[in-house]
């Protein structure tokens, strides 16, 4: 099996920008999921409080998941991706200034709600960026990235938290989301 088609897809700069955005965004999701749960437990000492924060992530999906799909079909997905990445960066920055349990619940809900608008705009953008003959390979990059981001995000969250504390991880997350935002900012229109 030749690797040439896989390298050819990466030579498509627009696809690579979208892929960089996906990598940075998904790494952020998994880093934050881990660190927010640790921080909530450190603040409250309650596994019930941890359960509530997990539920908050899920509630955003229930409230905004269906609505988000409609918006991704009606508006230019480039701008949805870009605005969401930058809005999530600002949202995560609030973790640096508000370290109470209630603030974490609210910030986590907003972050997760924004993510509901990012997800349906991301993968459907692939056919706008690659030729039909390369869609399968492009999709395989996205699928692999999803699994690798989960492993790398969760595996690195603990050590990053130990070395840099929660604030350090939040700063890394903001930086990753800014990278994701700038990557999508330079995409062509995605109808």
């Amino acid at each position: 099996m030749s690797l040439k088609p896989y390298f050819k897809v990466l030579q498509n700069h627009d696809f690579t920008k979208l892929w960089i955005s996906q990598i940075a965004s998904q790494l952020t999701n998994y880093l934050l999921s881990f660190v927010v749960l640790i921080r909530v437990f450190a603040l409250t000492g309650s596994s019930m409080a941890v359960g509530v924060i997990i539920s908050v992530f899920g509630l955003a999906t229930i409230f905004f998941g269906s609505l988000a799909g409609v918006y991704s079909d009606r508006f230019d997905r480039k701008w949805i991706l870009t605005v969401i990445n930058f809005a999530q960066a600002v949202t995560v920055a609030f973790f640096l200034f508000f370290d109470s349990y209630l603030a974490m619940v609210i910030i986590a809900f907003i972050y997760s709600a924004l993510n509901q608008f990012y997800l349906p705009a991301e993968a459907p953008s692939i056919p706008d960026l690659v030729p039909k003959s390369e869609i399968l390979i492009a999709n395989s990059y996205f699928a692999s990235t999803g699994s690798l981001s989960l492993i790398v995000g969760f595996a690195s969250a603990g050590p990053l938290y130990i070395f840099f504390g929660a604030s350090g991880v939040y700063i890394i997350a903001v930086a990753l989301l800014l990278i994701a935002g700038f990557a999508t900012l330079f995409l062509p229109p995605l109808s």
Side-chain angles (χ1 to χ4, degrees):
M1 179 176 170
S2 172
L3 295 177
K4 197 180 275 188
Y6 289 89
F7 291 121
K8 186 177 177 202
V9 170
L10 290 181
Q11 289 172 347
N12 177 332
H13 297 288
D14 289 330
F15 171 77
T16 304
K17 291 172 201 167
L18 183 66
W19 190 47
I20 288 169
S21 177
Q22 184 212 18
I23 293 167
S25 176
Q26 287 197 353
L27 273 175
T28 301
N29 287 341
Y30 297 121
L31 281 172
L32 280 181
S33 297
F34 190 91
V35 171
V36 166
L37 296 179
I38 290 172
R39 191 69 199 127
V40 165
F41 190 77
L43 284 171
T44 66
S46 165
S47 57
M48 176 74 130
V50 172
V52 168
I53 201 93
I54 291 170
S55 299
V56 163
F57 283 114
L59 284 174
T61 305
I62 292 168
F63 290 136
F64 296 103
S66 299
L67 179 67
V70 171
Y71 279 97
S72 74
D73 287 339
R74 290 185 180 218
F75 298 102
D76 184 347
R77 289 188 299 273
K78 167 194 171 167
W79 292 111
I80 293 171
L81 295 169
T82 303
V83 168
I84 295 300
N85 281 319
F86 288 132
Q88 284 183 313
V90 170
T91 303
V92 172
F94 281 114
F95 281 124
L96 293 164
F97 305 104
F98 301 99
D99 196 39
S100 71
Y101 174 64
L102 179 60
M104 293 190 87
V105 167
I106 293 168
I107 295 166
F109 180 80
I110 293 168
Y111 176 86
S112 187
L114 287 168
N115 207 45
Q116 298 313 305
F117 289 86
Y118 180 87
L119 295 172
E122 184 186 49
S125 298
I126 294 172
D128 291 341
L129 299 175
V130 299
K132 194 172 186 176
S133 61
E134 296 176 356
I135 288 177
L136 184 61
I137 292 171
N139 283 335
S140 73
Y141 273 111
F142 265 63
S144 298
T145 301
S147 299
L148 284 172
S149 295
L150 183 137
I151 294 166
V152 171
F154 281 138
S156 63
L160 289 172
Y161 182 80
I162 290 167
F163 289 117
F164 302 113
S167 294
V169 177
Y170 299 147
I171 291 168
I172 291 168
V174 169
L176 286 169
L177 289 166
L178 290 175
I179 290 168
F182 281 112
T184 55
L185 181 63
F186 297 105
L187 287 171
L190 301 168
S191 53

